[in-house]
Amino acid sequence: MQQLKPYALMTLNERDTWNHRAAQLMEKIGGGFASALALAYFRGDGTNQARILGAFGDLFDLYRNRAFEQLEHEERARQAMAAQE
């Protein structure tokens, strides 16, 4: 099973992508605070997004990992469906 690359080793593009995915998941399945934080992240400019990530990086880490696991699960399901055809 693959693991998500450590955040410090990601390129800026990878960080942006995974932060966006984490925020999407926070908005979708997170509690009230996580959902509100995700909306603030989406509405913020680069400076304010960085401030949010600095203050709540642990929460984004949690949802980045969940987003990665969800992506892996979807990929395994696609492979299983393709194998059945």
Side-chain angles (χ1 to χ4, degrees):
M1 183 167 120
Q2 278 187 311
Q3 287 189 332
L4 183 61
K5 187 189 298 186
Y7 191 73
L9 299 179
M10 290 181 187
T11 65
L12 290 177
N13 192 29
E14 289 171 327
R15 287 181 185 185
D16 286 344
T17 298
W18 284 106
N19 288 334
H20 188 82
R21 287 181 179 173
Q24 285 177 317
L25 202 55
M26 288 166 67
E27 184 180 15
K28 183 177 180 182
I29 68 167
F33 182 76
S35 294
L37 193 59
L39 288 175
Y41 177 82
F42 287 133
R43 292 182 178 164
D45 60 11
T47 300
N48 285 319
Q49 286 178 342
R51 291 173 72 190
I52 290 169
L53 289 169
F56 301 102
D58 57 335
L59 192 57
F60 274 80
D61 286 342
L62 175 69
Y63 282 92
R64 260 193 305 275
N65 288 328
R66 286 185 181 178
F68 182 74
E69 290 168 2
Q70 182 182 30
L71 197 63
E72 276 196 320
H73 178 73
E74 290 169 1
E75 180 59 31
R76 284 193 301 271
R78 275 193 292 275
Q79 289 173 354
M81 293 293 288
Q84 289 178 356
E85 294 177 349

